[in-house]
Amino acid sequence: VFRAEIDRCSELLGPDAQGRTLLDVMLAPPGDEAIHETVWTQPALFALQYSLVALWASWGVKPAAVIGHSLGEYAAACVAGAMSLEDGLKLVATRGKVCAAMPAGAMATIYAPLAQVEAEVAPRAARLSVAAVNGPESIVIAGEKADVEAVIAVFAARGVRTQLLKISMASHS
């Protein structure tokens, strides 16, 4: 069921100018970086989420309500019937192209309390922001790469875990 939905999403999107399909990119061998390109990452995440819900439904798991964050909102809207899969894929693919055209940036997760992260972001507020609060100590920052790296260095020096995200732009900034 999951693979059938992934295949369906790939077919609906069709090939890009180089002839690559979503399925080609999702199943590419290690070292192929296409999945990290925003034009592919966003449709791949959407297809993964949509297909996972279809798999769960085949097992009898039917949600009473759905919700999503960022790209997940589009998958949730399709699952809820607010838009068709075709329209959702079109929207997500267009969003990926628009996002790919944005100025370069970076994102990182800082595993520290929000107040501590905000204190480090504040002096760089013109170029850096808190992009998401995923949990009490799971804060995502986004902005200019040098500023993201500077904040990572501050927290790393304190022994706090950080993770630079493989993304070419500063989403949610």
Side-chain angles (χ1 to χ4, degrees), residues 108-114 116-117 134-141 152 155-156 158-165:
T109 301
I110 312 291
Y111 296 94
L114 177 60
Q116 290 179 20
V117 176
N134 293 325
E137 292 191 2
S138 179
I139 313 302
V140 179
I141 60 171
I152 286 174
F155 282 99
R158 295 180 192 165
V160 174
R161 188 167 69 106
T162 64
Q163 182 176 357
L164 185 63
L165 304 179

Side-chain angles (χ1 to χ4, degrees):
V1 171
F2 180 85
R3 177 61 186 260
E5 290 302 321
I6 291 286
D7 288 346
R8 182 172 163 215
C9 289
S10 185
E11 289 170 20
L12 288 168
L13 281 174
D16 69 0
Q18 290 80 39
R20 295 179 299 184
T21 67
L22 179 62
L23 195 57
D24 295 333
V25 172
M26 290 179 81
L27 298 177
D32 185 319
E33 294 291 310
I35 194 67
H36 299 294
E37 296 169 17
T38 302
V39 297
W40 287 114
T41 305
Q42 294 200 4
L45 286 171
F46 173 90
L48 180 80
Q49 294 167 354
Y50 184 87
S51 299
L52 187 57
V53 172
L55 176 62
W56 290 340
S58 76
W59 293 339
V61 178
K62 308 243 189 231
V66 291
I67 190 168
H69 167 70
S70 186
L71 193 60
E73 293 171 303
Y74 302 110
C78 290
V79 168
M83 74 172 89
S84 69
L85 174 61
E86 293 81 3
D87 287 344
L89 280 166
K90 251 188 256 183
L91 179 61
V92 166
T94 300
R95 181 182 191 255
K97 288 174 187 166
V98 170
C99 287
M102 298 296 294
M107 296 179 75
T109 301
I110 312 291
Y111 296 94
L114 177 60
Q116 290 179 20
V117 176
E118 286 176 330
E120 294 302 327
V121 166
R124 301 167 174 87
R127 301 171 314 278
L128 187 65
S129 63
V130 170
V133 178
N134 293 325
E137 292 191 2
S138 179
I139 313 302
V140 179
I141 60 171
E144 292 186 16
K145 188 172 185 176
D147 292 293
V148 170
E149 289 173 343
V151 171
I152 286 174
V154 167
F155 282 99
R158 295 180 192 165
V160 174
R161 188 167 69 106
T162 64
Q163 182 176 357
L164 185 63
L165 304 179
K166 260 193 160 175
I167 190 164
S168 61
M169 58 171 207
S171 297
H172 304 280
S173 63

